[in-house]
Amino acid sequence: MKQLVVLFLAAAFLTSCGSESSQEKTSEKLEQNEKTITYIGTVIDFGQTHDSGLFLADLTPINFPEAAAFDEVILLTDDVSLVDQSTGEAIALSELVKGDSVQVTLIEHAPTTMSIPPQIAGNGIIKIEKITEE
């Protein structure tokens, strides 16, 4: 029994040592994968079709023409913050409305499911910015 308790405590300690902030995760993504691809897309839905996702249409690359474009895609945004492009301040996903434009920066080979619509996991997303029209 004593060994089981020690084993449990050791596992809990090792697990807690692995936690890091989302900012550290972002910089780590950039260090490991120096190439990024910036896309522009239009919001179809936010958090309704997929609880923790941002559903976009016409996600097209703007700085890497050889990259794949997506007619529709769900970004799984659990560990990714959304910011206002003009102010740089964090905003809630609920502040988006259908038809808003967003700029998304992904790592070059972002993991994408083969489902329809495809889904891109948060570990492949560097940042999401709401484009504010002036």
Side-chain angles (χ1 to χ4, degrees), residues 9-130:
L9 290 175
F13 175 75
L14 291 174
T15 303
S16 66
C17 289
S19 64
E20 54 188 333
S21 71
S22 64
Q23 193 170 34
E24 289 171 338
K25 288 178 187 176
T26 299
S27 63
E28 182 179 304
K29 286 183 212 174
L30 284 173
E31 288 172 15
Q32 291 175 353
N33 303 291
E34 292 181 8
K35 275 193 171 180
T36 60
I37 302 171
T38 304
Y39 290 82
I40 290 184
T42 305
V43 174
I44 296 175
D45 189 4
F46 51 93
Q48 294 169 355
T49 302
H50 194 282
D51 290 341
S52 60
L54 180 60
F55 197 4
L56 302 176
D58 303 323
L59 193 66
T60 55
I62 58 175
N63 68 336
F64 203 88
E66 299 83 29
F70 299 92
D71 291 334
E72 291 183 340
V73 66
I74 296 175
L75 302 179
L76 303 177
T77 58
D78 280 336
D79 295 328
V80 181
S81 60
L82 173 67
V83 297
D84 186 285
Q85 191 177 42
S86 61
T87 64
E89 294 179 10
I91 59 175
L93 196 61
S94 60
E95 291 183 42
L96 293 174
V97 294
K98 184 176 181 176
D100 279 347
S101 294
V102 292
Q103 182 171 308
V104 180
T105 305
L106 303 175
I107 61 174
E108 183 178 15
H109 300 290
T112 306
T113 66
M114 294 185 70
S115 61
I116 297 183
Q119 299 177 18
I120 300 175
N123 64 349
I125 305 169
I126 302 297
K127 63 181 174 181
I128 304 171
E129 298 172 293
K130 178 183 176 186

